[in-house]
Amino acid sequence: MTDLTKLGVASIRSGVASGEFTAVEVAEAFNANVAAAKALNAFIVETPEKAVEAAKAVDADRAAGKPLGKMAGVPIGMKDLFATEGVQTTAASHILEGFVPTYESTVSANLWKAGAGMLGKLNLDQFAMGSSNETSYFGNVISPWRRNDGSNAALAPGGSSGGSSAAIAARLCPAATGTDTGGSIRQPAAFVGISGIKPTYGRCSRWGIVAFASSLDQAGPMARDVRDCAIMLEAMAGFDPKDSTSLDLPVPEWEAGLNSDLRGKKVGIPKEYRLDGIDEDIAKMWDNGIAWLKDAGAEIVEISLPHTKYALPAYYIIAPAEASSNLARYDGVRYGLRDLPDGAGLQDMYAATRAAGFGAEVRRRIMIGTYVLSAGFYDAYYTQAQKVRALIARDFDNAWKQCDLILAPTAPSAAFGLGEKTSDPLSMYLNDVFAVPASLAGLPAMSVPGGLDKQGLPLGLQIVGKALDEQGVLNAGLAIEERAGFTAEAEKWW
Amino acid sequence: MSEYRIQGMTGEWEVVIGLEVHAQVTSNAKLFSGASAAYGGEPNSHVSLVDAAMPGMLPVPNRECIR
């Protein structure tokens, strides 16, 4: 029998539907891979029984001749930022260690309704703050990839959805949920050679997702290929009255709409993204991407996004500002960690709980956020950053007069080694330089594998589309996927 | 839009008046959650997940109050 863990979402779904194999067989195969991959530290909690239980329900439905959902029989990994009823939800923090929600996030509930099962809760950067997974309280995820120099240095799987990216690349799950605030789906997808899409802000409900920066947070799928992303996004998206920023629009049939013929489409190449000193391999991959889209029939035009250089500074004001507000709830009173020193009062308890419960990066962002929102500095930082955000959105509006899609690298480098950037937060933040503008503008953006660098590590190409044009983004992603011929895989060492 | 302008010592001022209204809602549910707004319930019986600021909860304005 074929190794079921080599299959993606579409193949599993059709194999289960046709009776080639059962959903339970699939769940058990992935459960075994998860159990054997502790060295990667991709999961915070494993839930093999949940995966089997969901699979049994799908097999029973099939036997009874009932219609099967979009994700029927597909076991997935759930980023531990999504609240899951009865299963610990921590956002990779100490302050939420042991917290078991009595409720289920809308996105995860949609996935279970579509027939998916849960293999476990995936590790991430603490409260989704980080680009390498090194801020997790539960230890960093290690990428299954290694450089080809024989050094065996442990590499970052990207972040914040690094458990998701590593688990898919190591075939511990065929697909996983991610969330993207400033690149947290796209950069990890790029680092491990898989696909991931952040849809338009509002496509996926934020209800039940532990909030980082509410005006930016958006959930999306990560999977082995573009089709699998389209299938899973259909299952995740949809209007939710419990999220007041949720878009009240029907969910398009993205999978059925997939078409890699790009004739008549114009693809913009933003000249401001050609940074001085851009990595040679990244520049070459970008040129390849341009050639592939041309080959698919697209016309290539140079465009300008003049405010690009202000995107990262604006992001690192807006996101921490919102985070400092969102994280004020973790005070030790109602749930999670409580640190009550002897003889301490209420204020002392708040301070002790937060000091013990939040990691260094989370504390840094809360302090930055509190500072930029304080009375004396609000106008100088927060108001100014909001203006910059409007200018960046306008840059894109102007670009859409000349093109339908934008092609750029996902990240400025391949995966870096664990520990290489931890001492300098700024160099870590710079990793999101290409990802953040689309986040600030709320636009759909996707990363697909674009090739390997000289060290044998995957690189990602990013496609950004107009608001609500996930279809255009997915189609361009498919056109690249068909031409890139990316079949490289991490050699198993774990 | 009507405008009310006065001449001051340093130039012209446009007068803009904002009102902050404190009122008890007459709706059945609270302004930002589905919990009951009725007075005199048992302790902790009118607390929803969003009132308790559980992780991942979002406030949604009460449609009735805006109407």
Side-chain angles (χ1 to χ4, degrees):
Chain A
M1 197 162 92
T2 52
D3 179 357
L4 297 174
T5 63
K6 298 276 182 205
L7 304 179
V9 173
S11 320
I12 292 171
R13 189 185 56 179
S14 65
V16 167
S18 69
E20 199 185 320
F21 42 78
T22 67
V24 170
E25 284 167 348
V26 176
E28 282 170 350
F30 280 102
N31 278 340
N33 277 12
V34 171
K38 308 277 190 217
L40 300 176
N41 199 28
F43 284 86
I44 295 175
V45 175
E46 294 170 14
T47 56
E49 69 295 343
K50 291 252 174 208
V52 170
E53 187 191 324
K56 278 183 180 163
V58 168
D59 287 337
D61 280 352
R62 183 181 175 273
K66 289 188 192 159
L68 299 179
K70 288 187 206 305
M71 295 282 290
V74 181
I76 59 168
M78 185 61 60
K79 187 177 182 181
D80 198 24
L81 204 62
F82 293 81
T84 42
E85 188 179 349
V87 179
Q88 177 185 252
T89 300
T90 65
S93 72
H94 182 39
I95 209 159
L96 278 177
E97 194 176 10
F99 172 66
V100 179
T102 57
Y103 47 91
E104 185 79 30
S105 82
T106 299
V107 163
S108 55
N110 287 347
L111 286 163
W112 312 146
K113 217 179 301 158
M118 181 164 76
L119 292 159
K121 300 297 291 285
L122 291 160
N123 207 344
L124 66 151
D125 276 295
Q126 192 169 140
F127 285 102
M129 297 177 189
S131 308
S132 67
N133 246 268
E134 288 165 292
T135 71
S136 168
Y137 175 73
F138 301 95
N140 50 262
V141 177
I142 299 174
S143 172
W145 286 85
R146 284 177 168 178
R147 293 184 182 121
N148 58 11
D149 60 4
S151 70
N152 292 343
L155 300 180
S160 64
S161 310
S164 308
S165 66
I168 295 166
R171 297 196 181 274
L172 314 186
C173 54
T177 53
T179 62
D180 192 313
T181 304
S184 282
I185 286 175
R186 292 161 282 160
Q187 183 253 22
F191 274 19
V192 303
I194 63 164
S195 299
I197 180 167
K198 175 194 93 72
T200 309
Y201 181 79
R203 277 284 192 204
C204 292
S205 169
R206 291 182 295 109
W207 194 87
I209 302 175
V210 174
F212 163 16
S214 304
S215 75
L216 297 156
D217 295 345
Q218 185 57 209
M222 299 168 75
R224 304 203 70 85
D225 61 30
V226 173
R227 178 172 300 274
D228 287 0
C229 284
I231 295 169
M232 188 163 161
L233 183 57
E234 275 184 43
M236 292 169 72
F239 175 60
D240 180 7
K242 290 186 288 189
D243 172 1
S244 52
T245 61
S246 170
L247 292 166
D248 191 0
L249 294 169
V251 178
E253 293 187 347
W254 289 304
E255 185 196 5
L258 285 175
N259 175 5
S260 58
D261 181 351
L262 302 184
R263 278 176 297 181
K265 292 282 183 192
K266 287 184 179 173
V267 177
I269 308 300
K271 62 180 183 193
E272 289 80 5
Y273 284 40
R274 291 260 176 206
L275 303 173
D276 288 340
I278 188 170
D279 182 283
E280 198 183 302
D281 290 333
I282 296 280
K284 204 175 100 204
M285 171 203 59
W286 197 3
D287 289 339
N288 287 340
I290 291 169
W292 292 329
L293 291 182
K294 249 188 219 166
D295 183 59
E299 185 190 333
I300 306 295
V301 292
E302 189 188 73
I303 58 160
S304 173
L305 299 169
H307 297 92
T308 297
K309 67 179 169 190
Y310 304 113
L312 208 54
Y315 174 84
Y316 276 100
I317 290 171
I318 293 167
E322 296 187 18
S324 74
S325 171
N326 275 325
L327 271 58
R329 72 188 63 196
Y330 304 106
D331 52 16
V333 176
R334 285 138 300 157
Y335 47 77
L337 182 75
R338 174 182 295 170
D339 192 341
L340 183 60
D342 271 349
L346 185 65
Q347 293 293 338
D348 305 317
M349 183 187 81
Y350 292 161
T353 300
R354 288 170 176 156
F358 289 134
E361 182 62 26
V362 176
R363 290 203 301 270
R364 177 182 293 121
R365 296 202 196 187
I366 291 173
M367 284 187 278
I368 293 172
T370 315
Y371 179 79
V372 300
L373 289 175
S374 60
F377 301 99
Y378 189 96
D379 282 345
Y381 291 103
Y382 189 71
T383 309
Q384 200 65 14
Q386 291 289 27
K387 286 181 189 164
V388 170
R389 185 177 188 175
L391 290 174
I392 284 160
R394 197 183 304 163
D395 279 357
F396 282 106
D397 287 343
N398 288 333
W400 302 137
K401 292 172 191 160
Q402 289 171 269
C403 63
D404 306 291
L405 296 159
I406 292 170
L407 181 74
T410 305
S413 72
F416 44 85
L418 290 168
E420 277 177 19
K421 289 183 192 283
T422 40
S423 58
D424 180 5
L426 275 185
S427 83
M428 187 73 85
Y429 295 174
L430 276 171
N431 222 263
D432 293 326
V433 64
F434 297 132
V436 154
S439 294
L440 288 171
L443 301 173
M446 173 166 214
S447 180
V448 293
L452 297 176
D453 74 353
K454 280 191 283 291
Q455 298 182 305
L457 297 179
L459 301 173
L461 278 166
Q462 179 181 211
I463 306 124
V464 181
K466 297 173 188 172
L468 305 179
D469 189 23
E470 285 83 2
Q471 191 73 64
V473 172
L474 290 161
N475 288 349
L478 186 62
I480 291 172
E481 182 179 282
E482 287 172 353
R483 288 162 181 82
F486 187 90
T487 53
E489 284 206 47
E491 208 177 305
K492 192 168 184 301
W493 55 264
W494 55 92
Chain B
M1 199 196 288
S2 66
E3 278 186 5
Y4 179 36
R5 288 169 185 276
I6 54 171
Q7 198 61 44
M9 293 279 284
T10 56
E12 194 183 36
W13 292 82
E14 181 187 357
V15 180
V16 179
I17 296 168
L19 291 177
E20 184 177 320
V21 180
H22 292 239
Q24 192 169 352
V25 296
T26 56
S27 56
N28 293 327
K30 293 182 186 177
L31 185 52
F32 284 105
S33 88
S36 169
Y39 182 76
E42 287 295 307
N44 294 331
S45 63
H46 295 179
V47 181
S48 74
L49 292 169
V50 68
D51 297 337
M54 299 302 280
M57 292 300 100
L58 302 168
V60 175
N62 185 334
R63 196 176 290 274
E64 177 70 16
C65 297
I66 293 172
R67 184 192 63 77

